[in-house]
């Protein structure tokens, strides 16, 4: 139950999420953290498909996501 509550609390409207991504692209670390928090449920879902430990999977997906945003 707690996970669904945190997911609901983290959801941003589409326009605000897009703005956070644009800010993250320009080097705004606070915006990047907010985007990562927003994407956390999706990251956790994808981790289950990787042949890595949960921690390694989270780290790998997060790093690739950051690289994609910042490139």
């Amino acid at each position: 139950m707690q996970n669904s509550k945190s997911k609901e609390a983290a959801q941003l409207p589409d326009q605000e999420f897009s703005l956070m991504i644009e800010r993250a692209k320009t080097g705004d670390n606070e915006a990047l953290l907010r985007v990562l928090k927003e994407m956390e449920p999706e990251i956790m879902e994808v981790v289950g498909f990787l042949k890595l430990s949960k921690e390694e999977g989270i780290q790998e997906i997060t790093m690739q996501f950051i690289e994609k945003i910042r490139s």
Side-chain angles (χ1 to χ4, degrees), residues 5-64:
K5 287 182 182 180
S6 64
K7 183 178 178 181
E8 291 173 12
Q11 289 183 340
L12 296 172
D14 289 343
Q15 187 176 11
E16 189 174 348
F17 183 71
S18 295
L19 177 62
M20 287 294 118
I21 289 178
E22 289 305 314
R23 288 176 52 194
K25 285 181 179 181
T26 63
D28 184 333
N29 289 331
E30 192 172 313
L32 179 61
L33 290 174
R34 192 153 179 208
V35 168
L36 290 173
K37 182 68 174 168
E38 181 72 15
M39 295 301 298
E40 188 176 345
E42 287 80 6
I43 291 170
M44 296 306 290
E45 190 173 316
V46 172
V47 164
F49 294 102
L50 300 177
K51 293 183 179 183
L52 300 170
S53 71
K54 183 177 179 179
E55 293 79 19
E56 289 175 321
I58 291 169
Q59 183 177 11
E60 182 65 27
I61 293 169
T62 302
M63 291 305 299
Q64 287 186 18

